[in-house]
Amino acid sequence: MIRNILGSLVALAGAASAVLSPFRDWYEGRTGREYQVEDLFGGITATESGVLVSVLLPFLGAAVLVVLGVLLRSRLVVALAGLVVLGFTILWMVRQGQATGSLTVGGDGVGLGVGVVNALAGGVLMVIGAVLMKGRRRRERRPVEPYEAPPADQVDMWPPTQEPGMSTNTSPWPEPEVDPYTGRRARPRRGSRRARG
């Protein structure tokens, strides 16, 4: 229970970090929402992108996956969301490196910005959250084994739906059967009692 809560909080923090990352600087003062999703597959271009067709789109999808994974307590879904964020961020880094010739890291607006760090950290936090989560408990179904017949000296304990113990009927004759219509035990006939005596 505690592991699920802790893992869920870590994964949700990672999702928040990933969703906020496109609104911060990614490279040389350009924010992540200015990169089109198409640029990740065709090469980085200078054309600016709309918010919903930018890098934000796969990160929003990953955040939705994290929320679903937390609600369903599915480690696999949460881990998949983290891998989506990491995959898209690393793919962007490869494309950006190809476009500029090399990637540089700088703190004064030159090179990789804080947004890339937020995206990478968000993906890592999602994967860590998936590892921390315990997930759902699988109920083990035990095969139903039929009752074995009791030994000859404990016949009165059979069938197993009756409580074990000595029979109240000490007669050598079988116990009277229950009438299926009234639910009462059938009374033996008078003639049968005389025959026993």
Side-chain angles (χ1 to χ4, degrees):
M1 180 78 174
I2 295 175
R3 284 185 62 184
N4 277 333
I5 294 173
L6 183 60
S8 300
L9 291 176
V10 171
L12 290 172
S17 177
V19 169
L20 291 176
S21 68
F23 296 95
R24 308 193 76 177
D25 292 341
W26 275 45
Y27 196 76
E28 295 183 352
R30 191 175 178 188
T31 60
R33 62 186 174 166
E34 296 175 11
Y35 293 97
Q36 296 180 1
V37 177
E38 296 175 2
D39 292 351
L40 302 178
F41 302 100
I44 302 293
T45 61
T47 56
E48 293 189 4
S49 172
V51 175
L52 292 179
V53 291
S54 68
V55 177
L56 177 65
L57 182 63
F59 291 173
L60 281 175
V64 170
L65 281 178
V66 167
V67 172
L68 285 176
V70 166
L71 291 176
L72 298 174
R73 289 189 290 174
S74 173
R75 299 171 66 185
L76 183 62
V77 174
V78 175
L80 177 65
L83 293 177
V84 166
V85 171
L86 289 174
F88 273 95
T89 307
I90 292 170
L91 181 60
W92 174 86
M93 292 173 72
V94 170
R95 292 299 185 187
Q96 185 64 44
Q98 290 174 346
T100 58
S102 65
L103 286 178
T104 58
V105 179
D108 53 352
V110 178
L112 293 176
V114 182
V116 178
V117 176
N118 284 353
L120 290 173
V124 169
L125 284 175
M126 290 181 207
V127 173
I128 291 173
V131 171
L132 288 176
M133 288 175 66
K134 199 169 185 180
R136 287 186 173 185
R137 292 182 181 176
R138 293 184 181 178
R139 294 181 181 177
E140 296 181 3
R141 294 184 179 180
R142 297 180 180 176
V144 179
E145 298 180 1
Y147 291 103
E148 296 180 6
D153 59 342
Q154 297 178 351
V155 178
D156 292 331
M157 295 174 62
W158 188 259
T161 54
Q162 295 180 357
E163 294 184 7
M166 294 300 294
S167 173
T168 55
N169 185 5
T170 55
S171 169
W173 302 102
E175 294 183 11
E177 294 182 5
V178 177
D179 185 3
Y181 298 106
T182 62
R184 298 180 183 172
R185 290 189 177 181
R187 295 183 181 178
R189 295 179 183 175
R190 293 183 183 178
S192 60
R193 284 186 180 177
R194 290 176 184 172
R196 291 182 189 174

